[in-house]
Amino acid sequence: MGSASISYQFGISARFYQNLNSRSDVTVSSLPCKADVSRKILFSAPSSSTHKDCINRARVCSLPNTDDYCDEIFETPILDSIETPLQLKNLSVQELKLLADEIRTELHSVLWKKIQKSMNPSLAAIELTLALHYVFRAPVDNILWDDVEKTYAHKVLTRRWSAIPSRQKTGTSGVTSQLEESEYDSFGAGHGCNSISAGLGLAVARDIKGKRDRVVVVIDNVTITAGQAYEAMSNAGYLDSNMIVILNDSCHSLHPNMEQGSKASISALSSIMSKIQSSKIFRKFRELAKAMTKRIGKGMYEWAAKVDEYARGMVGPTGSTLFEELGLYYIGPVDGHNIEDLVCVLREVSSLDSMGPVLVHVITEESRDAEIGKKIMVKDRRTYSHCFVEALVMEAEKDRGIVVVHAGMEIDASLVTFQERFPDRFFNVGMAEQHAVTFAAGLSSGGLKPFCIIPSAFLQRAYDQVVHDVDRQSKAVRFVITSAGLVGSGGPVQCGAFDIAYMSSLPNMIAMAPADEDELVNMVATAASITDRPVCFRFPRGSVVDRNYLVPIGVPIKIGRGRVLVEGQDVALLGYGAMVQNCLHAHSLLSKLGLNVTVADARFCKPLDIKLVRDLCQNHKFLITIEEGCVGGFGSHVAQFIALDGQLDRNIKWRPIVLPDGYIEEASPSEQLALAGLTGHHIAATALSLLGRTREALLLMS
């Protein structure tokens, strides 16, 4: 998001945030390569172009997160010839297979070799993506995706491949967005499980308007575990609008716990049965049989329906009849890597009118070698999550009542340590955040000490349960809010901007945030010691301050007690959570200019250390609060207190530094902090501006 669209609420002009890390357009002719291999080289060419520029000027692209030029050039003649997805209809099945290989090679080169990103989900969906664009006419027909990680082949085919590597503010975003990227994105893919609901809305809107376009939604075996997906399928079955739901099953399971579920197999028989089930003749015969049995009588109709369900359940995998019960006509399983079968089934399904919602179960395979590489890469980084898990293991070894409930799209690799050490005390519920919160409340009622680990952006989905099942009943659930604040390549979808505000507003909640790894370890011990009310603490995604940090035994912190880290005068910087480190950086910058400011670590947003805040107000002219969260959070609690305490009636002047009132798109963590105005330089410049030293503030920012 550009700085022009963001409103800054503290004493530095928005012009300080402009022209940060800007990139220049570079055409292929300026690169050390031939124009006829431009698409391969485009992955190395910097550009500030938007997605529309990339479409109109196909020789410009964004710089990937690497300083190296492509070391290998792969010939991709078919992909080079594709300007729009409609051109796929001119290809033969054999050419589609070759195109799938070309896209697979390209994505492997970029996602893994260049930026070391797991390519498993993207590779698994290539043939399915080709079949969808081959059969349907996007963007006239609406194709919705539930998980952005499956959409890279879709983005390649819709002329956005040049910016895939960066996922930065100058390139393709980490979501599908009709507003910001392409008309081929019918609806934005966020946290998952929204595609069926949105698709049903599009289908009903189409019916009301009397149109005939098709609606196709793609959901996978992870996001389909979320309750919203079943609510949407149930409603789709009731409304009976024509739409196609494709279950992209890469784990071969319909079991909620994918690792333990039974596997659906692909055979010649299942392939034949899927084609029969999807054929127009079979569907019309089935509808005719239903009509005839209805005329005979209700008993005959119900008996025939049970026979039909039983017979089709014998052919389909375990759990397939669930979709029939919800009102969706089940077809499958279909081999998701057999383009010929996919095209055949999808073409038959697309030709059916007035048949209601259909679910096509597609089985795909994910490659394993990339996942191994991903795990090796993760081990080289020591993150806050690693320190948290090590501290929690120490507490769990002392207290057998400590259990872990985890919810979200995927488990952080660091949590495997706890899972392996205490397998009977670790519960991963998948994308079922509402269930996770109430489940944890039940565990607490049963006398255990649950640590409920949910990323900040995902906890938003379970706020009603947090309010009524935990806080209102004062259940001792310990919320561990991961990925708090800005998340780099996770962009606005996974950004944890709101948890400080929505958790600290609850009457019984204790809300705290560690400034560093020492404080994190102590807050784990603090949370374990609280048994009469809920508590939450947040920590950011990313590396710890000290990469060689050895986790000590945690010491509980006195509730509602902050600390002063550096004594100074005139200006007090009161940081919350990870922003304390940026306050210390600002102190270092200001000390070089002859200013000695106070730096304090609030530790707690609720209960607030009112003695610390009062002392800071009485001994300084300016108080600046800094947090990596939206307006209405920590700074608002401070403002409420100093207003009621009469501090604002005296000489103190208060300024908050919070995240801007807008969504910050994908960028590197440092770029995002700069866009948000939360770096040490921005904090120092704000202090200088308050002291009337505007020229020095400008020089500092330049």
Side-chain angles (χ1 to χ4, degrees), residues 103 107 122 125-126 129 150-158 164:
I103 295 175
L107 290 179
S122 300
I126 290 175
T129 305
K150 306 289 193 301
T151 66
Y152 287 120
H154 166 71
K155 292 194 175 193
V156 165
L157 293 172
T158 53
I164 282 176

Side-chain angles (χ1 to χ4, degrees), residues 248-306:
N248 178 21
D249 183 4
S250 58
C251 285
H252 290 190
S253 175
L254 300 179
H255 193 281
N257 190 344
M258 277 73 72
E259 291 80 5
Q260 298 176 9
S262 59
K263 294 184 178 181
S265 60
I266 296 295
S267 63
L269 177 61
S270 65
S271 177
I272 293 172
M273 290 304 300
S274 295
K275 292 176 182 178
I276 292 174
Q277 288 174 314
S278 63
S279 68
K280 185 181 295 186
I281 295 175
F282 178 81
R283 289 292 300 273
K284 287 188 174 181
F285 174 77
R286 186 170 178 265
E287 292 299 315
L288 178 62
K290 287 167 65 176
M292 291 179 63
T293 53
K294 273 186 179 180
R295 289 187 177 184
I296 295 173
K298 184 178 179 182
M300 176 61 74
Y301 173 75
E302 291 179 350
W303 179 82
K306 288 181 180 179

